[in-house]
Amino acid sequence: MNIVVLVKQVPDSGAERELRSDDQTIDRSSANNVLNEMDEYAVEEALKLQEALGGEVTVLTMGPEQAGEAIRKALQMGPDKAVHVLDGALHGSCAVATSKVLAAALRTLNPDLVLAGAESTDGRVQVMPHMIAERLGIAALTGARKLTVDGGTLTVERQTEEGYEVVTAATPAIVSVWDTINEPRYPSLKGIMAAKKKPVQTLSLADLGISPDEVGFAGSTSTVVESTKRPPRQAGTKVTDSGDGGVQLVEFLATERFV
Amino acid sequence: MAEVLVVVEHSGGAVKKLTLELLTLARTLGEPAAVVFGAPGSAAALTGRLGEYGAAKIYAVESDELTGYLVAPKATVLASLIGDVAPAAVLLGSTQEGKEIAGRLAVKLDNGLLTDVSDLAADGTATQVVFAGSTIVRSKVSRGLPLATLRPNSVAPVPAPVTPAVSPVEVPLSDADKLVKVVDRVVEQKGSRPELTEASVVVSGGRGLGSAENFKLVEELADLLGGAVGASRAATDSGFYPHQFQVGQTGKTVSPQLYVALGISGAIQHRAGMQTSKTIVAVNKDAEAPIFELADFGVVGDLFKVVPQAAEEIRKRA
């Protein structure tokens, strides 16, 4: 089974994140950029399937030059190779345009299964798997907490608001995973060394047959008009419990009319 | 006045609160038209409630087939409906399904998509709070019609009764809509508590609870306040509480009127999911815990003493 894992470089969600004042895109210069956490679970799931079923695991990303760091991080875990869609015209692409590019790249790779993290920690939009599936005419099984493969049939257990549901589809398909699905491995020293030599193919928009005016700011279907920093919350009253902390808490709730 | 399509979320014959928020918002943009997807007979049960909140029209998309497949058929039907009625805007809830339908629709129509909005102005400008509540973004769809998903608890639902006109909508599904089959739906932990993302009060527990057993303290306080129960990632990862109740960067984002954090230190991972709550109350034994930087009222103390006392006090006042 040939698997492509979608990965994304994001600013570290544990640090201060900002939008650039000039074009309202994510400021990658000030942020510590990391591999999106949920993507590690997708890589792990791909490697487990490869161990059981054979085939090749390819990592795919779209992003600026420095997104190559996220590719290396993912390769250190064990995938065979990577594809980096890299083109200056992509800067400022919206989700709709991004899905067009990723779908085009996936067509060149023709995988049986595409795996992705359920969301990125920067945009948290969660729509990419369905957008790509819509373009490729393949099944999208999102938010998996369990994935089983039986020949060409995939079965996914997915969390819902009220419990979970079991869904099934035939390959080719795209599956997105939550962090409940597995425990990602740490790269071994051997894995780290090997990743340096793994092939990373770079694809431009021209390679994918996409015109620059279909992506980036020119081709985007939505625009950020402005962004402002939200004033940080002010700390309120803090009391130390000296036997009546619970009562004081309820008194506060009463003044705010919650009890 | 042009129609504003609102995709209805319902469960067990009841309209979800988020849909009432959507209808309230839709009234500021045009004439609300509710789109109900479900098994035959679903729309009839919801008509009264949808009319109460201003749905002048109801499009009833009813079919047994529809509920057997994941989201794709709904996007197909909506795309065709949009072609027919040329709405002023399309609004969905910012739930997993709402976002997924909207994502497919955006690709089908080559239309911009604004997710997790907390407001949508009449000129199509959306407000979004991003990066764990630290940044406010105003954005617009620049190609196509305003297509947005609304974050729960962003708009106070206000009734505006009308008598809806119900129109049935045919559902011609193609094979491409039937790629993902739902084989089982399992309801877990469905108690009398409100849904986490919709609740106006959320009481969450963290590592400080120490065990799954102790989470009954959290549940007790939640029940006394009529709220939902949440948990930090530390608590769900430790198996203290089921994963679907996780609030934070990798879980649910909540924005209730009142958020009570018990034994939660307030790491950025957690704050990302609750920072926009109206009022925040915290109990933690560590006076330096970052949760106190956000709390409108904080008690530094042993939650095993403070919480039972608070519960007792609420009962006394009831």
Side-chain angles (χ1 to χ4, degrees):
Chain A
M1 171 169 268
N2 289 323
I3 304 173
V4 173
V5 187
L6 303 181
V7 302
K8 184 181 184 185
Q9 189 184 47
V10 296
D12 186 356
S13 61
E16 189 83 354
R17 292 170 291 176
E18 287 186 335
L19 294 177
R20 272 164 57 165
S21 55
D22 56 347
D23 67 2
Q24 308 292 356
T25 61
I26 286 175
D27 189 344
R28 291 170 190 266
S29 64
S30 70
N32 180 22
N33 298 299
V34 297
L35 173 63
N36 179 47
E37 189 195 338
M38 214 60 72
D39 300 348
E40 293 177 25
Y41 297 83
V43 172
E44 176 64 33
E45 199 63 17
L47 295 172
K48 278 168 65 183
L49 287 171
Q50 183 185 39
E51 283 155 15
L53 305 165
E56 210 172 30
V57 177
T58 306
V59 172
L60 169 64
T61 201
M62 165 182 140
E65 194 87 48
Q66 69 207 47
E69 297 159 16
I71 286 184
R72 288 293 166 200
K73 267 274 182 263
L75 287 176
Q76 287 174 2
M77 291 175 69
D80 303 295
K81 61 189 178 68
V83 174
H84 185 172
V85 184
L86 175 65
D87 198 303
L90 289 168
H91 182 68
S93 294
C94 67
V96 175
T98 301
S99 70
K100 181 184 281 185
V101 175
L102 290 174
L106 285 168
R107 276 193 200 98
T108 71
L109 297 166
N110 199 27
D112 303 297
L113 175 65
V114 183
L115 282 166
E119 69 174 18
S120 64
T121 53
D122 53 354
R124 305 194 67 190
V125 181
Q126 298 185 6
V127 295
M128 203 48 61
H130 274 280
M131 285 185 162
I132 289 169
E134 182 71 37
R135 290 184 186 278
L136 297 177
I138 63 172
L141 303 93
T142 46
R145 67 177 193 189
K146 189 178 169 194
L147 167 65
T148 33
V149 179
D150 183 6
T153 305
L154 305 175
T155 303
V156 155
E157 217 176 271
R158 69 200 294 263
Q159 197 90 61
T160 61
E161 299 288 334
E162 288 162 349
Y164 68 93
E165 59 192 14
V166 182
V167 295
T168 120
T171 55
I174 181 165
V175 175
S176 72
V177 305
W178 279 116
D179 54 355
T180 36
I181 197 163
N182 58 40
E183 201 51 61
R185 67 196 66 189
Y186 286 103
S188 62
L189 185 60
K190 200 173 145 219
I192 293 169
M193 296 311 287
K196 293 181 180 164
K197 295 191 191 109
K198 287 177 180 171
V200 179
Q201 184 192 6
T202 304
L203 293 176
S204 67
L205 283 171
D207 293 331
L208 296 173
I210 294 174
S211 150
D213 60 13
E214 294 175 63
V215 298
F217 292 110
S220 273
T221 57
S222 55
T223 323
V224 175
V225 183
E226 58 165 10
S227 68
T228 46
K229 292 291 272 185
R230 197 159 169 269
R233 282 188 87 102
Q234 298 298 313
T237 313
K238 185 162 80 172
V239 301
T240 300
D241 180 33
S242 50
D244 64 347
V247 173
Q248 287 192 53
L249 192 156
V250 175
E251 270 162 15
F252 172 79
L253 294 178
T255 57
E256 299 286 316
R257 298 177 177 276
F258 289 112
V259 290
Chain B
M1 203 162 37
E3 290 178 21
V4 175
L5 295 185
V6 169
V7 176
V8 174
E9 295 204 18
H10 57 99
S11 170
V15 179
K16 296 211 176 170
K17 183 176 150 216
L18 178 53
T19 300
L20 307 181
E21 296 183 39
L22 288 166
L23 289 170
T24 305
L25 176 64
R27 297 205 303 266
T28 66
L29 307 169
E31 187 179 69
V35 184
V36 174
F37 291 103
S42 309
L46 311 172
T47 302
R49 190 75 166 155
L50 295 172
E52 191 186 334
Y53 284 83
K57 242 185 204 168
I58 293 174
Y59 293 106
V61 193
E62 299 180 326
S63 142
D64 280 323
E65 235 189 0
L66 200 63
T67 51
Y69 301 96
L70 223 53
V71 304
K74 296 179 182 173
T76 299
V77 174
L78 269 180
S80 122
L81 194 58
I82 290 165
D84 291 344
V85 308
V90 179
L91 304 179
L92 300 95
S94 231
T95 56
Q96 182 168 5
E97 181 171 279
K99 290 203 270 192
E100 290 179 352
I101 295 172
R104 283 193 174 260
L105 207 49
V107 168
K108 278 179 197 291
L109 305 174
D110 194 24
N111 195 107
L113 166 62
L114 306 169
T115 53
D116 285 325
V117 313
S118 53
D119 189 32
L120 186 65
D123 72 348
T125 305
T127 305
Q128 293 155 305
V129 182
V130 302
F131 294 161
S134 67
T135 304
I136 299 169
V137 168
R138 296 199 204 285
S139 52
K140 272 181 134 162
V141 166
S142 49
R143 187 150 79 233
L145 50 80
L147 168 62
T149 68
L150 181 73
R151 181 172 278 189
N153 281 335
S154 298
V155 176
V158 179
V162 291
T163 305
V166 182
S167 333
V169 175
E170 284 298 311
V171 197
L173 298 185
S174 72
D175 288 347
D177 297 323
K178 300 189 207 169
L179 293 173
V180 185
K181 206 171 166 185
V182 180
V183 291
D184 199 9
R185 283 200 171 92
V186 182
V187 175
E188 290 177 320
Q189 305 268 341
K190 176 81 176 164
S192 53
R193 291 188 194 108
E195 221 165 73
L196 184 52
T197 51
E198 293 203 335
S200 48
V201 175
V202 174
V203 182
S204 287
R207 198 196 301 274
L209 266 296
S211 73
E213 170 76 358
N214 290 337
F215 248 78
K216 63 176 193 289
L217 273 179
V218 181
E219 293 181 329
E220 184 190 14
L221 190 59
D223 290 341
L224 284 166
L225 294 169
V229 174
S232 71
R233 189 179 192 179
T236 58
D237 281 357
S238 307
F240 297 172
Y241 217 65
H243 201 268
Q244 70 259 41
F245 297 101
Q246 189 194 115
V247 171
Q249 179 81 61
T250 53
K252 301 271 163 57
T253 299
V254 299
S255 202
Q257 295 293 311
L258 172 65
Y259 189 87
V260 183
L262 305 175
I264 293 175
S265 66
I268 191 150
Q269 143 73 28
H270 187 72
R271 280 151 51 178
M274 45 67 79
Q275 192 134 252
T276 55
S277 304
K278 192 120 190 284
T279 300
I280 296 172
V281 170
V283 180
N284 201 297
K285 66 177 188 314
D286 175 10
E288 303 306 316
I291 193 75
F292 289 123
E293 293 163 19
L294 315 179
D296 298 289
F297 191 83
V299 180
V300 181
D302 180 355
L303 71 90
F304 297 106
K305 291 191 178 121
V306 175
V307 176
Q309 188 184 67
E312 190 48 44
E313 181 67 17
I314 294 171
R315 272 193 216 97
K316 244 191 261 171
R317 292 175 182 232

